[in-house]
Amino acid sequence: MRIYLFATALLAVMLSPSVYAGVFELTLANGLKVIVKEDHRAPVVVQQIWYKAGSMDEHTGKTGVAHVLEHLMFKGTRGVPAGEFSRRIAAAGGRENAFTSNDYTAYFQQLHKSQLPLAMKLESDRMHNLNLTAGEFSKEIKVVMEERRMRTDDDSHALLQEKLMGAAYLEHPYQHPVIGWMSDLEQMTVQDARSWYQQWYAPDNATLVIAGDVYHAQVFELAQRYYGNIPKKGQSARRLFSEPVQLGIKRMVVKAPAELPLLVMSYHAPNIVDPLHDWKPYALEMLAGVLSSTDSARLNKHLVREQQLASSVGASYDSTSRGPGLFSLEAVPSAGQSVAQMEIALRAEIAGLIKNGVGADELKRVKAQVLAGEVYKLDSVFYQAMQIGQMESIGVGYKAIPLMLEKLQAVTTEQLVQVASEFLQDDNLIVAVLDPQPLSGKAMQPAGEANHVR
Amino acid sequence: MYVNKLLFSIMLCCIASVAAATPTIQHWQSATGARVLFVEDHDIPMLDVAVSFASGSAFDKSGKPGVAKLTHELLDLGAGDLNEDQISTGMADLGAQLSGSFDQDRASVSLRTLSTERDSALSIMARVLQYPVFSESILMREKTRLIAGLKEAETKPELIADKAFNKAVFGSHPYASSLSGEISSLETITAQDLKDFYQLHYQRAVVAIMGDVTRVQAEAIAVQLTRYLPAYTEQSSLPAVVMQIQSSEQRIFHPATQSHILTGTPGMSRKDPDYFPLYVGNYILGGGGFVSRLMNEVREKRGLAYSVYSYFMPLKQTGAFQIGLQTKKEQANEALALVEKTLADFVAKGPTEKELIAAKQNIIGGFPLRIDSNKKILDYLSIIGFYELPLTYLDDFADNIAHVTTTQIHSAFSRHIHPGAMATVIVGAPEPISGPVGAQNQ
């Protein structure tokens, strides 16, 4: 579920100066920013192109179009027929895919370093030559609907998350799911995809990240050759959204087929806007770590191990996004425990933390994990490229990465208490509960019965 | 796409230099009996270690499924003089990461640590492996959590499908059992069951070491992690899997919007002589990302599914061959018929030369991506050691792929896969079935 993705992103965001070394950048005349991370450990390379357009840039009634376009980017250009992009990358020994988030859309290929020119040729081609046909659209929109059924409609936790986001954000477009609402998908046309492509796919709205066994001067030359002639479109100022202050607790229930209930408590929380002067987002990152970075962190130790009220529990927060964030607690109650008891227990954890403070050892432990993570990250070229692309796409910039690491290391226990008491309060809270429904619509069979078939 | 044989042979020349860049694997038998595989690499100041045992779910005694899983789960929940919190905070304070993996054959414990914290982290890991406590109260707690998870799994269409599929493919073989056991058996498991299982199945270790240590240090680490394991006794090996199964189809009710379809049969073992022809053939059929036949027929041409795949799961004994997809209920029958036709065609005729060339280009050309990180190399060391594959497995990989012919693929598929004798499971089946009913077996 999405919340877990946030949790992994949490400790993943930060880079050390050592990782920052070996990064080179150049902006082409057409506005394309090219960033190269040299890493010569293995003869491989990754190309990632990041477009600053995600589901938050969509309008009501057209949700899901960013992601649909991502699918259609594999459906051919004037010179490369449908399916041929994937076939050529495969024939070069490559792996490829793409992903769309609230904030951005990105495409990548991993290959032997000798195949970089091929990947750049193909990727630059579809930046401006995409051939969007009604025929390909009509097939692919069905694929996307199947994806929505699989990932959301038939997954109770994902469904809860989708409805929680819809309730948490009134004005901000984070209220809409990345995959799009089904009725929007049903009414979408190839012209919607075309307009999206024309508006956002341009060198001056993209970041190209190349990482691996390459030399930056050569990469810049290749970038100029393949991407340099694509005309810029000139990006107009973006509509800025804020989220009106929530004036009181919101509660919601989602009924869906499941066995176990799930409680999610999400509090509105800021994201990093000014990496140098902000301090609260860093404190919130460390707070999530103190609460749930290990099995012996507060939430699991107290609620799963000691009191045995929960079957699982976690805290999550992502400081790095284009729009306003959420700090979330979630728990699956143990058999026999109610969701209400679970909520009381989670609230008691937060109240206890605010009243009694946080041990220096707890915070130090999270910092040690963050620091070690900086070294472990060197084992993945792909991941290093991901961080650079993500930081560029949300507007913070990759150069802030070492600074962010320093800021995290500078967080104090007092600051943890301060952000907990400022943000983790009722007026700011959305409580979402999954109310499990039997599959048959009838009462569930008693536990322990062997026949699970209904 | 135009590819000729000349081009292909040129590519193979280039591949030779890639193959030469495989890591140098050092191998020895430790005085403790452990089989050790080691790659020395000082690029990053960190160390990865994985210790594997033949103690997966297939070793559960009948009537006690779940013991293997719980034994593995409880290793780091109390060991020697350390309680569970001291183990996890101890590792976290060092910035070290202790993790595990568990399947039908194998249970393993892995450590990633900074070089500077290596000794402290290994000392905790050594206790986890050799002095697990198996506390009764922690077992009670973990059983409760596992049972909750199993109950939840019984509501998830993909997990219901997995379970029914394994039963249909493996029958009475231990590979049919769920990794986590059954709710009814979990309730009867005691700490003594775990201690007994540990004594019997955590004797001989395979130790994989990758990273920033010298050979001398690696030798000492292997001893440190395995010296006090239970004494070695002769073990009976897993029974063979019955290869030819009866055709079956189960349609299981579920309120989901999609049908989850699985179809398959026993496939191959790790040491099957047909391993490479089946591997390459499967790439063409349904393993090769966006370019496989199944993907092309089901998704690209008709938009019937988001995900459709086929794979072989090679195990110590024969593991499953499986094709899977999800599609909205109304078109489940159509999609299944299309999958069956695609498979039958492939088994009857084999791949084309053009498809084989494309497959080789991808698998051989992509070989460097398989070994581009310490983590990936560590996983290969564990697999090579555990399944006793040749130490030259990585060096020979490209050649083994390059030598596969269309005839070999055709022959291997027609001997291993019988489209008329497949186990098929459809959860969330299109026909509405009123009230709670059992599976319909044909």
Side-chain angles (χ1 to χ4, degrees):
Chain A
M1 127 170 226
R2 188 202 164 92
I3 282 195
Y4 288 116
L5 291 180
F6 282 176
T8 43
L10 179 165
L11 290 176
V13 172
M14 323 91 184
L15 267 178
S16 73
S18 62
V19 178
Y20 183 50
V23 181
F24 305 86
E25 71 164 90
L26 173 75
T27 301
L28 306 184
N30 60 11
L32 179 67
K33 190 167 186 180
V34 185
I35 303 174
V36 179
K37 162 72 190 167
E38 295 187 5
D39 183 322
H40 303 289
R41 294 177 62 226
V44 298
V45 65
V46 56
Q47 167 174 251
Q48 296 174 350
I49 186 97
W50 295 69
Y51 293 98
K52 283 170 222 157
S55 65
M56 70 172 278
D57 302 296
E58 296 165 346
H59 299 295
T60 305
K62 304 288 183 192
T63 65
V65 69
H67 172 252
V68 168
L69 198 274
E70 179 226 295
H71 277 237
L72 293 171
M73 284 285 277
F74 295 84
K75 294 302 176 182
T77 64
R78 275 164 250 164
V80 180
E84 195 58 26
F85 187 103
S86 296
R87 273 192 284 278
R88 288 190 197 174
I89 293 295
R95 300 175 190 175
E96 49 139 9
N97 216 326
F99 48 89
T100 307
S101 83
N102 303 87
D103 294 345
Y104 44 74
T105 309
Y107 303 79
F108 67 85
Q109 304 85 34
Q110 298 166 274
L111 319 95
H112 186 263
K113 61 178 176 178
S114 63
Q115 302 291 350
L116 180 61
L118 171 77
M120 292 176 86
K121 185 173 177 216
L122 286 168
E123 193 63 84
S124 60
D125 175 46
R126 67 178 175 180
M127 180 182 277
H128 63 134
N129 289 325
L130 193 62
N131 186 25
L132 286 163
T133 67
E136 289 295 341
F137 176 85
S138 68
K139 283 187 287 180
E140 202 59 27
I141 195 76
K142 294 203 293 184
V143 171
V144 173
M145 289 180 200
E146 293 296 346
E147 184 177 358
R148 182 184 159 88
R149 291 184 187 102
M150 185 182 83
R151 289 194 197 277
T152 307
D153 295 336
D154 290 347
D155 180 325
S156 55
H157 286 201
L159 212 50
L160 180 77
Q161 182 64 25
E162 180 177 275
K163 293 186 188 301
L164 188 154
M165 294 293 278
Y169 295 101
L170 281 180
E171 186 195 346
H172 197 278
Y174 279 178
Q175 67 185 257
H176 297 301
V178 174
I179 190 86
W181 300 109
M182 191 60 106
S183 76
D184 288 353
L185 296 177
E186 283 162 355
Q187 291 169 67
M188 196 175 287
T189 66
V190 68
Q191 190 49 47
D192 293 324
R194 221 171 259 147
S195 308
W196 184 262
Y197 180 70
Q198 282 160 2
Q199 182 175 7
W200 299 116
Y201 282 64
D204 45 338
N205 191 43
T207 307
L208 177 67
V209 184
I210 308 277
D213 190 10
V214 292
Y215 293 94
H216 63 279
Q218 288 169 8
V219 175
F220 291 152
E221 222 179 279
L222 288 170
Q224 180 58 44
R225 185 186 316 160
Y226 291 114
Y227 290 90
N229 295 325
I230 303 173
K232 66 155 69 180
K233 286 185 177 164
Q235 294 294 320
S236 47
R238 284 173 199 256
R239 168 81 163 80
L240 291 179
F241 290 93
S242 58
E243 180 58 29
V245 177
Q246 183 175 313
L247 301 173
I249 191 166
K250 292 182 192 176
R251 289 185 177 275
M252 61 184 299
V253 175
V254 175
K255 291 174 158 185
E259 166 71 24
L260 305 172
L262 171 69
L263 168 68
V264 182
M265 300 171 70
S266 290
Y267 300 87
H268 290 282
N271 56 322
I272 293 176
V273 177
D274 177 346
L276 178 61
H277 296 103
D278 285 346
W279 65 270
K280 291 172 185 174
Y282 302 103
L284 287 163
E285 292 275 9
M286 299 314 265
L287 176 64
V290 162
L291 289 172
S292 77
S293 68
T294 71
D295 288 345
S296 291
R298 283 178 174 234
L299 293 183
N300 197 69
K301 179 172 157 58
H302 295 161
L303 302 181
V304 176
R305 288 185 165 178
E306 289 171 7
Q307 300 166 39
Q308 303 189 15
L309 294 169
S311 188
S312 68
V313 66
S316 59
Y317 166 72
D318 184 0
S319 63
T320 53
S321 56
R322 280 171 58 198
L326 293 174
F327 188 102
S328 297
L329 307 174
E330 65 165 69
V332 174
S334 302
Q337 299 295 328
S338 69
V339 167
Q341 287 166 308
M342 199 68 253
E343 183 181 332
I344 291 169
L346 282 175
R347 285 172 176 276
E349 284 300 318
I350 300 306
L353 184 145
I354 290 171
K355 180 159 177 263
N356 304 319
V358 173
D361 58 331
E362 290 175 89
L363 180 57
K364 196 174 156 214
R365 187 168 301 135
V366 181
K367 290 180 179 178
Q369 291 168 269
V370 172
L371 278 179
E374 296 313 298
V375 176
Y376 302 152
K377 212 165 294 156
L378 297 172
D379 201 32
S380 171
V381 169
F382 186 84
Y383 193 68
Q384 295 174 52
M386 280 284 295
Q387 288 187 309
I388 292 170
Q390 194 200 4
M391 298 311 290
E392 286 297 312
S393 301
I394 63 168
V396 169
Y398 76 95
K399 286 182 179 165
I401 290 169
L403 167 67
M404 291 166 69
L405 184 68
E406 283 171 34
K407 297 279 286 189
L408 282 172
Q409 293 296 324
V411 169
T412 65
T413 53
E414 292 75 21
Q415 288 177 326
L416 296 191
V417 174
Q418 242 177 298
V419 290
S421 50
E422 180 175 350
F423 297 106
L424 308 191
Q425 50 156 301
D426 273 12
D427 287 355
N428 211 19
L429 168 66
I430 306 99
V431 181
V433 172
L434 172 65
D435 179 5
Q437 301 297 301
L439 301 192
S440 62
K442 301 180 179 180
M444 299 289 269
Q445 293 179 20
E449 210 159 304
N451 182 10
H452 67 269
V453 183
R454 277 176 270 270
Chain B
M1 181 173 53
Y2 176 74
V3 188
N4 60 31
K5 297 220 166 174
L6 178 65
L7 184 61
F8 180 55
S9 58
I10 290 169
M11 194 189 70
L12 280 185
C13 299
C14 310
I15 296 307
S17 62
V18 171
T22 53
T24 305
I25 301 175
Q26 302 185 51
H27 171 251
W28 64 93
Q29 179 105 13
S30 171
T32 64
R35 217 168 27 250
V36 190
L37 290 90
F38 168 52
V39 170
E40 182 170 349
D41 186 312
H42 302 284
D43 281 356
I44 305 176
M46 68 179 199
L47 178 72
D48 285 284
V49 181
V51 182
S52 302
F53 301 88
S55 57
S57 62
F59 296 93
D60 271 331
K61 276 191 293 193
S62 67
K64 290 270 184 186
V67 170
K69 169 78 175 171
L70 279 164
T71 303
H72 181 247
E73 286 281 315
L74 262 70
L75 287 177
D76 68 345
L77 302 182
D81 54 342
L82 300 176
N83 68 28
E84 55 178 347
D85 289 327
Q86 289 167 323
I87 293 170
S88 57
T89 57
M91 285 293 188
D93 284 339
L94 302 168
Q97 300 170 346
L98 191 67
S99 58
S101 73
F102 183 82
D103 63 27
Q104 292 95 325
D105 286 343
R106 187 162 63 110
S108 67
V109 176
S110 304
L111 171 71
R112 170 165 274 195
T113 176
L114 300 173
S115 298
T116 49
E117 311 296 342
R118 184 172 63 224
D119 293 345
S120 310
L122 283 166
S123 148
I124 299 175
M125 186 189 198
R127 276 176 274 186
V128 164
L129 289 168
Q130 298 169 102
Y131 299 101
V133 170
F134 301 119
S135 131
E136 194 75 60
S137 62
I138 289 177
L139 173 63
M140 285 300 293
R141 185 189 77 206
E142 294 305 313
K143 272 163 58 172
T144 306
R145 295 179 65 213
L146 209 52
I147 288 169
L150 283 173
K151 286 185 184 168
E152 182 71 12
E154 291 183 357
T155 69
K156 305 277 178 231
E158 66 278 14
L159 301 178
I160 295 170
D162 275 345
K163 192 171 171 177
F165 177 82
N166 284 329
K167 287 236 186 307
V169 168
F170 294 111
S172 60
H173 191 276
Y175 284 169
S177 303
S178 128
L179 293 182
S180 310
E182 304 290 339
I183 292 167
S184 53
S185 67
L186 285 174
E187 280 162 352
T188 70
I189 290 170
T190 65
Q192 193 57 47
D193 290 326
L194 272 51
K195 289 174 188 166
D196 292 346
F197 187 88
Y198 174 78
Q199 284 299 322
L200 212 52
H201 297 289
Y202 282 77
Q203 299 173 351
R204 277 287 155 88
V206 172
V207 182
I209 303 174
M210 168 77 220
D212 185 24
V213 286
T214 63
R215 165 72 184 241
V216 172
Q217 288 169 322
E219 286 180 12
I221 289 167
V223 171
Q224 180 191 6
L225 296 178
T226 59
R227 185 191 319 177
Y228 299 110
L229 288 172
Y232 180 70
T233 53
E234 197 68 41
Q235 299 294 318
S236 55
S237 52
L238 291 176
V241 170
V242 176
M243 292 298 291
Q244 185 85 37
I245 60 168
Q246 296 287 315
S247 169
S248 68
E249 183 174 289
Q250 297 177 65
R251 291 178 175 250
I252 301 171
F253 172 76
H254 194 285
T257 63
Q258 284 185 317
S259 297
H260 288 248
I261 302 173
L262 298 177
T263 183
T265 166
M268 68 166 162
S269 71
R270 265 284 161 188
K271 290 193 152 177
D272 197 300
D274 289 324
Y275 181 93
F276 287 100
L278 290 173
Y279 180 83
V280 177
N282 183 65
Y283 172 91
I284 297 164
L285 173 64
F290 290 105
V291 298
S292 71
R293 280 198 191 184
L294 283 169
M295 195 65 141
N296 193 41
E297 293 296 329
V298 175
R299 174 169 161 166
E300 301 299 306
K301 282 193 192 163
R302 296 178 182 84
L304 287 173
Y306 171 68
S307 158
V308 56
Y309 60 84
S310 66
Y311 69 76
F312 285 91
M313 174 81 166
L315 294 171
K316 198 90 176 176
Q317 298 298 329
T318 303
F321 166 75
Q322 182 184 91
I323 299 176
L325 75 156
Q326 311 81 25
T327 189
K328 72 173 169 180
K329 275 184 184 169
E330 299 74 22
Q331 58 200 25
N333 291 333
E334 177 194 356
L336 177 58
L338 182 62
V339 162
E340 288 171 342
K341 181 178 182 308
T342 306
L343 175 67
D345 281 355
F346 188 77
V347 174
K349 297 179 198 144
T352 65
E353 289 296 336
K354 193 177 158 188
E355 285 176 316
L356 178 62
I357 290 168
K360 289 181 178 180
Q361 286 175 324
N362 179 259
I363 300 169
I364 298 172
F367 179 75
L369 296 170
R370 292 170 182 258
I371 52 168
D372 66 359
S373 73
N374 291 13
K375 179 72 180 67
K376 291 180 188 174
I377 292 170
L378 181 83
D379 289 344
Y380 271 117
L381 296 181
S382 290
I383 293 286
I384 291 168
F386 185 80
Y387 289 107
E388 301 183 73
L389 304 177
L391 284 179
T392 55
Y393 181 81
L394 292 173
D395 307 306
D396 302 341
F397 184 85
D399 266 357
N400 281 325
I401 299 291
H403 286 127
V404 171
T405 65
T406 53
T407 312
Q408 286 173 349
I409 293 173
H410 185 200
S411 158
F413 265 80
S414 53
R415 280 179 286 109
H416 286 257
I417 308 298
H418 307 287
M422 304 284 280
T424 302
V425 176
I426 308 165
V427 176
E431 291 83 359
I433 296 167
S434 56
V437 293
Q440 296 174 336
N441 287 293
Q442 292 181 357

